[in-house]
Amino acid sequence: MSVGALPALLEKWAGIATAEGWTAGWVEGAILPCEMVFFLARCEQAGITTVIESGRQDGYSTRLLGEYARRQGIRVFSIDREADVERALRCRERLLGYPELQLLKGEANWLLGRLVRAERRTPLAVLVDGPKGLWAVGLLFAAAGYPWVQLIAQHNLSDTDGTRSLFARWADEPVFHEAHTSGAGPAWEA
């Protein structure tokens, strides 16, 4: 699908998000609904067949990835350390209705690389919400070295530590949703 299709895909996924109440279900600290809509639109645009998520916390973004996987017929791997056992159990219970999700417990530093190397299905997307900062950008850049990794995304890039500027400097095109979403349409605006 061409880059020109992004506004239509933003409208499509924003419409789904609105109809499904994704904004109302948002939890503090999770990836914002507009960021997830942008990520999902970019995944569809790139024809992504597998998504690897690192950092599940309460499972908000993971649930949306499950919704995407169900509609698109793709696979999603979600990695989390699950350091807070009670929180991890509650999260896993919330995600029981999504057999498309493969919930993995462990360190992203080891699991992410193994999954990227094992998942040679073209193309693949990697979404990192944990770890944070330069460590996360390093993991993403390492993943991007594999030709089947077509989309990388990082939540919580800060200009205060230079990670946002570093991420943008290495990109071939504008990387943040603000550069792509002006005039996307009424569902996106909602």
Side-chain angles (χ1 to χ4, degrees):
M1 200 172 281
S2 71
V3 173
L6 186 59
L9 292 171
L10 285 169
E11 273 301 288
K12 171 186 173 180
W13 288 102
I16 292 168
T18 302
E20 298 291 326
W22 291 1
T23 301
W26 182 77
V27 294
E28 185 70 34
I31 298 174
L32 294 172
C34 63
E35 293 172 323
M36 284 304 297
V37 165
F38 181 72
F39 179 74
L40 298 178
R42 290 300 301 255
C43 282
E44 185 172 345
Q45 181 184 37
I48 297 299
T49 59
T50 303
V51 175
I52 302 171
E53 173 193 44
S54 176
R56 186 167 51 246
Q57 192 171 311
D58 294 307
Y60 174 77
S61 59
T62 312
R63 181 177 66 83
L64 303 187
L65 290 171
E67 292 288 339
Y68 181 79
R70 183 171 288 158
R71 287 174 168 86
Q72 298 297 109
I74 70 156
R75 297 184 323 147
V76 175
F77 295 92
S78 178
I79 303 167
D80 198 83
R81 289 180 38 220
E82 298 186 355
D84 182 334
V85 176
E86 298 287 323
R87 187 179 211 175
L89 286 173
R90 287 190 306 273
C91 175
R92 282 179 173 271
E93 286 175 15
R94 280 192 289 281
L95 298 172
L96 280 175
Y98 296 96
E100 301 84 359
L101 299 172
Q102 294 186 38
L103 306 179
L104 306 174
K105 178 182 177 182
E107 269 299 326
N109 299 315
W110 304 112
L111 288 174
L112 185 65
R114 287 182 190 159
L115 283 170
V116 166
R117 286 188 302 277
E119 288 298 309
R120 296 175 184 267
R121 300 173 75 187
T122 302
L124 182 133
V126 178
L127 171 63
V128 175
D129 191 13
K132 305 287 187 198
L134 288 173
W135 193 263
V137 171
L139 282 174
L140 284 170
F141 285 176
Y146 293 92
W148 52 90
V149 176
Q150 297 294 303
L151 179 63
I152 59 172
Q154 169 68 44
H155 182 236
N156 291 355
L157 282 175
S158 168
D159 273 331
T160 59
D161 66 3
T163 54
R164 186 176 174 106
S165 300
L166 177 66
F167 197 84
R169 190 174 15 195
W170 285 92
D172 293 333
E173 60 181 79
V175 294
F176 302 108
H177 72 79
E178 299 88 351
H180 295 277
T181 56
S182 64
W188 172 262
E189 294 304 320

